[in-house]
Amino acid sequence: MSETFVLPVGPQHPALKEPTSFRFKVDGEYIVDADLRLGYNHRGMEKGCEARTYVQDIYLLERVCGICSNAHMTCFAQGVERLMGIEPPPRGVFIRCLMGELERIHSHLLWLGVAGHEIGFDTFFMYTWRDREVVMDLLEMVSGNRVNYGMQTFGGVRRDLDGMQIKTLLEGIAALKARTPYYLNLGATEPTMVARIAGVGKLPREKAIELTAAGPTTRASGVDFDVRKDDPYAGFGDLIPFTIVTDNGCDVLARVVVRAKEMMASYDIMEFILRNLPAGEVRTKAPRKVPEGETVSRVEAQRGELIHYIRANGTDKPDRVKVRAPTLANWPSTLYMLRGAYLADIPIIMAAIDPCLSCTDRMAVISDVRGGEKVWDWETLRQYGIEFHRRRGIRP
Amino acid sequence: MSLRLGAMLPEVFRHLFKRPATVLYPFEKNTVPARLRGRPVMDPDKCIGCRMCERDCPAEAIEVTQESETRTDDGKVKRRFSMVVYVDRCAHCGQCEEICPAKPDKAIKLNEFFEEAAFDRGALKIVYK
Ligand code: SF4
Ligand code: SF4
C-alpha cells in the first residue's frame, strides 16, 4: 500500500537561487502532485515606473532582470515608440536586433552551463561559461558594460558600430559558431548527460499549448511559436531573415537541443545584420511627452514571450506599466512536468524552463471573499501565530 | 546519434596544457573597454546649469547647486555650478552624459573607473565644484 506525504520545498532551496515555494506530494521517490506558491519577491518596479519619467523608466525596466535586460528595454522602447508614433531608422533597427541576438547567445550559454551544473556535470558548466566570455566581451565592446547594456532608447539605439567593431563581432561570432556544435553533440551523445535528461520532464505538444508554455520550452514540444515570427519586431519579418527552431522530443534533452540550435540560428541572423548593415543614423529624436493611449508590446526574450503593457496619459510619465515575464507563462507546464517525476529531477526540470523569479514575481494580496477587513496589531498577530502552531502540536 | 562514453575526455586532456581562462583579480586586471560607463565626472568650468542631468538621472544620484553669480564688464551674467554625485546610487546608465547640452564639450562624462566598492558610504558622495 502506498503512502504519500507532503514535502515543502522553498522559498529558499538549493534548486534555484531565487525564492519560490513548492508543495510536493510524494510517494517515496515519486512526485504525485506539485503545487506552487509565488509572491515572495516584491520590488515595486511597476509602481515605480508611474512615479518616473519615460526616460528614467527605460533604465529602471532594464534592471528588472540582469540576464534579459536588453529584452525588457527593447520591449518598453518599442511600445513607447508606437505610442509616440515614431520609428527608428533602419540602422538603429538592425543594431537593436543584433543586441537581442547577442543577449540570446549569452543567456543560452549561461543556461547550458546551469543545466550541466544541476545534473552534476560541472566540467560542462565550466566550458560553456568560459566560451560565454567571448560573447560577453563582444557585448562589452559594443555597449561598454557586461550587464545592463543600456543600448535601447526611444527612437533607436544609443551607440553606433564602427568598422573595427563589426570585424571583431564577425570574428567572435565565427569562433562561437565553431564551438556550439560541440555542445550540441555533447548534450545529445554523452551517455552520462543523456541518462539524466532524456525522457525527463515530458511535456506533450497538446499540453504545451493548453498550458501556454513559452519560448524554448514550447518549441521543444514541437510548437512553432516565436514572437519573432508571429508578431515580428526589430526588423524580423521583412528586413532580417529568420528560421524558427523546434524539436519534437518534448523532454529536457529536447530543450537543450532547441537552445543549442537556436544559437546557431542567431549566429546566422547576426552575420546577416553585420554584412548588410544599412548606412545612416541610429536614432531619431523622440518627444518627452507621450500622447494618450495604450499598447501591448511583445518581444521574444531568450526565455520566451515577454509582454509589456503601457498606458500613457499625455504627460511625460506613464499611467500604468505591466510586465508579463516568460517564466510566469511557463510555471503551469513546469508543475505538469514535475508530476510523476523523481524527486532528484526537480532541479533540472525547473532549470529547463530557465526560470527567472526577479522578472516574474509580484507581491500577492489575498482579499477575503467573505468580506470585512481586519487590522491586527503586532501582539495579536504574534499570539495568533503561537496559537496556530500550538494547535498543530508545535510548542513555541 | 549514437552514444559515446567519454566524449568529453579529449577536450579535458587538451586543457591540461592550456593557460587558465581566468585572471587573478585584483592582482591582475583586464583592460576595460573603451566605451565603459564608469564613474560620472563633472567639470564645473563647462557646466551651464541646465539641470537636465539632474532631471533625467533614473537613480536620483545627481544634485546641481548654483555656487555664484557674477556680472562681467560687458554686462553678461556668469553663473557657476557645483554638483554632488552619489556614486553608490548611480546606475551607470550614462543618461547624464547623453543629455548634457554643454558645448563644445559635455560637462559631465563617465570615466573608466569601475571599482566603486568602499568601506565608508561617505566616500561615495563625490563633490565637484
Ligand atoms: S550614469 Fe545614470 S545613474 Fe549615474 S549619475 Fe548619470 S544618469 Fe544618474
Ligand atoms: S546637463 Fe550638463 S550642463 Fe546641464 S547641469 Fe548637467 S552637467 Fe551641467
Side-chain angles (χ1 to χ4, degrees):
Chain A
M1 195 189 94
S2 78
E3 219 178 294
T4 61
F5 74 99
V6 176
L7 178 74
V9 174
Q12 304 295 338
H13 54 90
L16 194 68
K17 276 97 200 154
E18 295 176 285
T20 174
S21 174
F22 290 90
R23 298 283 180 284
F24 292 115
K25 195 192 265 185
V26 291
D27 178 4
E29 283 286 301
Y30 280 108
I31 301 166
V32 181
D33 201 2
D35 197 10
L36 170 76
R37 288 187 191 180
L38 291 169
Y40 292 92
N41 201 348
H42 176 60
R43 304 198 293 161
M45 280 192 159
E46 291 178 357
K47 196 74 195 158
C49 284
E50 295 168 19
R52 288 171 176 76
T53 61
Y54 286 96
V55 178
Q56 293 174 314
D57 285 343
I58 195 166
Y59 301 111
L60 177 64
L61 287 168
E62 180 181 22
R63 282 154 182 83
V64 165
C65 173
I67 304 292
C68 43
S69 60
N70 183 71
H72 282 282
M73 234 185 167
T74 309
C75 199
F76 187 64
Q78 72 184 20
V80 174
E81 278 164 8
R82 207 176 297 150
L83 289 171
M84 287 173 172
I86 57 169
E87 253 181 55
R91 193 176 174 91
V93 170
F94 270 54
I95 298 177
R96 176 172 285 180
C97 181
L98 176 84
M99 286 307 290
E101 296 312 307
L102 279 172
E103 191 181 57
R104 196 180 312 280
I105 301 296
H106 108 71
S107 175
H108 279 1
L109 279 171
L110 178 131
W111 179 84
L112 273 179
V114 171
H117 174 72
E118 296 293 1
I119 57 172
F121 197 176
D122 273 347
T123 322
F124 190 73
F125 157 69
M126 302 245 178
Y127 287 169
T128 45
W129 278 41
R130 180 200 57 196
D131 291 339
R132 177 172 167 263
E133 284 306 304
V134 176
V135 67
M136 294 309 276
D137 285 346
L138 296 179
L139 281 163
E140 196 180 45
M141 176 191 72
V142 175
S143 73
N145 291 42
R146 277 169 66 91
V147 195
N148 294 335
Y149 318 112
M151 280 291 281
Q152 314 298 337
T153 190
F154 309 124
V157 292
R158 294 172 71 207
R159 282 155 190 246
D160 199 359
L161 296 176
D162 63 27
M164 205 47 215
Q165 287 171 336
I166 293 175
K167 196 171 153 271
T168 317
L169 278 162
L170 282 169
E171 283 166 8
I173 292 164
L176 287 166
K177 204 173 181 175
R179 189 73 190 156
T180 305
Y182 174 73
Y183 294 123
L184 179 57
N185 212 2
L186 210 59
T189 60
E190 203 342 292
T192 53
M193 187 144 175
V194 172
R196 281 303 308 275
I197 57 177
V200 172
K202 277 278 186 191
L203 181 70
R205 186 171 188 275
E206 55 282 7
K207 275 287 165 194
I209 296 170
E210 183 190 321
L211 299 169
T212 69
T217 310
T218 198
R219 289 194 287 275
S221 290
V223 183
D224 65 339
F225 176 78
D226 192 312
V227 182
R228 291 175 286 177
K229 171 179 84 65
D230 294 297
D231 184 11
Y233 63 95
F236 290 113
D238 46 355
L239 300 173
I240 299 163
F242 153 72
T243 45
I244 190 165
V245 177
T246 58
D247 195 282
N248 293 322
C250 307
D251 54 3
V252 177
L253 174 61
R255 280 158 225 153
V256 172
V257 171
V258 161
R259 285 193 174 90
K261 285 190 181 160
E262 239 174 61
M263 290 201 296
M264 295 305 280
S266 285
Y267 300 138
D268 292 340
I269 297 172
M270 289 193 284
E271 283 180 346
F272 176 86
I273 290 175
L274 292 167
R275 297 224 161 87
N276 299 285
L277 202 58
E281 291 292 313
V282 293
R283 66 191 280 188
T284 51
K285 227 178 132 36
R288 288 195 67 90
K289 287 191 177 151
V290 180
E292 227 170 283
E294 58 179 357
T295 188
V296 171
S297 171
R298 303 202 289 172
V299 155
E300 184 70 26
Q302 22 318 30
R303 290 155 168 145
E305 179 194 33
L306 168 68
I307 305 175
H308 281 203
Y309 165 76
I310 307 151
R311 191 169 68 220
N313 54 9
T315 66
D316 61 351
K317 291 177 183 150
D319 207 33
R320 176 83 171 99
V321 176
K322 163 88 190 129
V323 178
R324 203 297 313 261
T327 305
L328 192 67
N330 275 330
W331 278 133
S333 37
T334 312
L335 291 180
Y336 174 85
M337 292 184 247
L338 285 167
R339 288 180 196 122
Y342 282 115
L343 264 186
D345 289 334
I346 295 174
I348 187 63
I349 291 177
M350 249 199 263
I353 67 160
D354 199 359
C356 175
L357 267 298
S358 75
C359 296
T360 303
D361 225 357
R362 301 290 181 275
M363 184 172 67
V365 178
I366 297 159
S367 56
D368 191 344
V369 287
R370 291 162 298 192
E373 217 172 86
K374 277 183 231 154
V375 181
W376 285 4
D377 61 10
W378 170 243
E379 197 43 49
T380 326
L381 191 65
R382 187 165 166 270
Q383 280 308 325
Y384 175 80
I386 292 170
E387 264 314 304
F388 178 89
H389 286 100
R390 184 171 296 149
R391 277 201 303 274
R392 282 159 181 76
I394 303 160
R395 275 191 295 137
Chain B
M1 270 185 260
S2 62
L3 295 190
R4 196 155 57 91
L5 196 62
M8 204 156 196
L9 283 180
E11 178 86 14
V12 174
F13 283 126
R14 231 174 296 140
H15 277 77
L16 286 174
F17 308 101
K18 276 196 178 163
R19 285 200 321 126
T22 48
V23 295
L24 218 56
Y25 182 82
F27 306 107
E28 276 173 59
K29 285 180 191 177
N30 281 335
T31 47
V32 297
R35 289 181 168 183
L36 181 81
R37 285 169 277 132
R39 176 183 280 190
V41 178
M42 181 262 208
D43 185 347
D45 290 334
K46 293 178 188 147
C47 178
I48 55 168
C50 66
R51 293 173 202 270
M52 299 249 266
C53 52
E54 193 182 83
R55 184 196 58 189
D56 264 6
C57 175
E60 293 171 10
I62 296 178
E63 277 167 18
V64 180
T65 320
Q66 184 172 328
E67 285 295 312
S68 63
E69 187 177 288
T70 46
R71 209 168 273 273
T72 50
D73 296 340
D74 52 354
K76 274 197 190 138
V77 182
K78 196 149 171 46
R79 296 190 184 91
R80 205 178 153 81
F81 297 87
S82 71
M83 182 187 282
V84 180
V85 179
Y86 297 91
V87 287
D88 51 345
R89 265 188 248 160
C90 171
H92 303 279
C93 62
Q95 179 64 26
C96 47
E97 178 176 335
E98 188 180 302
I99 199 79
C100 180
K103 284 206 173 82
D105 207 9
K106 292 190 185 282
I108 187 164
K109 279 184 186 164
L110 270 54
N111 70 3
E112 298 205 329
F113 183 73
F114 66 95
E115 290 160 307
E116 293 284 16
F119 285 109
D120 172 20
R121 202 171 174 192
L124 298 173
K125 178 180 170 179
I126 317 273
V127 183
Y128 301 103
K129 67 187 327 169

